[in-house]
Amino acid sequence: MKWGLYEKGRTIFRQGEPAAEMGVVLSGGVCIESVDLWGDRSILSHVGAGQVFGETYALTGGPLPVAAVAAENSQILTINVSGLLKERYASSTWQRKLLGNLVYIFAQKNRALSARIFCTNAKTIRGRLLTYLSAQAVEAGSSAFSIPFDRQQLADYLNVDRSALSKELGRMRDEGLLEFYKNRFLLQRLPESL
């Protein structure tokens, strides 16, 4: 177990390297991303303070198909989880608690990846934005909320061009659908048709 400070943009786990540890975000945030051979980046998820990343790969081993990059200045604790699951600890209550927590984490990650699939399933940028922003409003319990992404990160998460995303947000604002400032949004009304 060790912890470290990571400046925004610094890679914590590199895509293609062997997975040995999982990370716990103590403060800040981490983007889980994939970069293809042509350098195109896609953000798969954002991991905030109190959440973990890399647990699946730490348990299964092999090269990482994704990278973990600090989305902002962050404190990260890394843990060799496979060492904690050894047979010699099988009768301990903490290992049963750890396994229960890991199952819960896997279910939450499955839910987050399903949400991303819904967002990227829409054929238009507006459809993707409305799907994502609606889900964020529901999660926040309010039509006013903040998202964990800047514009480029949001474009990478929705798998769209940044300038096209910005233009669509401007059109939606001009039509009275929403208001925004940086990563804060206020949904005004639902469109009559997507």
Side-chain angles (χ1 to χ4, degrees), residues 12 28 86 88 101 115 121 130 136 144 151 157 160 193-194:
I12 302 161
K86 294 200 184 266
R88 66 178 176 224
N101 288 342
N121 201 28
L130 288 172
Q136 293 299 302
R151 279 298 170 272
Y157 180 81
V160 299
S193 67
L194 299 177

Side-chain angles (χ1 to χ4, degrees), residues 42-45 109-124 127-129 131-132 135 156-159:
S42 180
I43 294 180
L44 304 175
S45 66
K109 295 288 176 93
N110 187 359
R111 187 173 172 226
L113 288 174
S114 294
R116 183 174 185 274
I117 289 169
F118 289 129
C119 291
T120 58
N121 201 28
K123 297 195 184 327
T124 65
R128 290 177 184 207
L129 274 166
T131 301
Y132 176 73
D156 291 341
Y157 180 81
L158 295 176
N159 207 20

Side-chain angles (χ1 to χ4, degrees), residues 38-110:
W38 297 271
D40 294 325
R41 179 174 78 151
S42 180
I43 294 180
L44 304 175
S45 66
H46 178 273
V47 183
Q51 297 179 315
V52 301
F53 59 95
E55 68 287 341
T56 300
Y57 307 114
L59 288 170
T60 59
L64 286 165
V66 295
V69 178
E72 56 192 286
N73 292 342
S74 303
Q75 289 184 352
I76 308 297
L77 175 70
T78 56
I79 303 169
N80 182 330
V81 71
S82 64
L84 298 175
L85 297 177
K86 294 200 184 266
E87 185 70 30
R88 66 178 176 224
Y89 303 124
S91 63
S92 63
T93 55
W94 64 263
Q95 190 186 67
R96 283 191 294 271
K97 181 73 170 167
L98 174 66
L99 288 170
N101 288 342
L102 284 171
V103 169
Y104 178 76
I105 289 166
F106 294 147
Q108 291 294 92
K109 295 288 176 93
N110 187 359

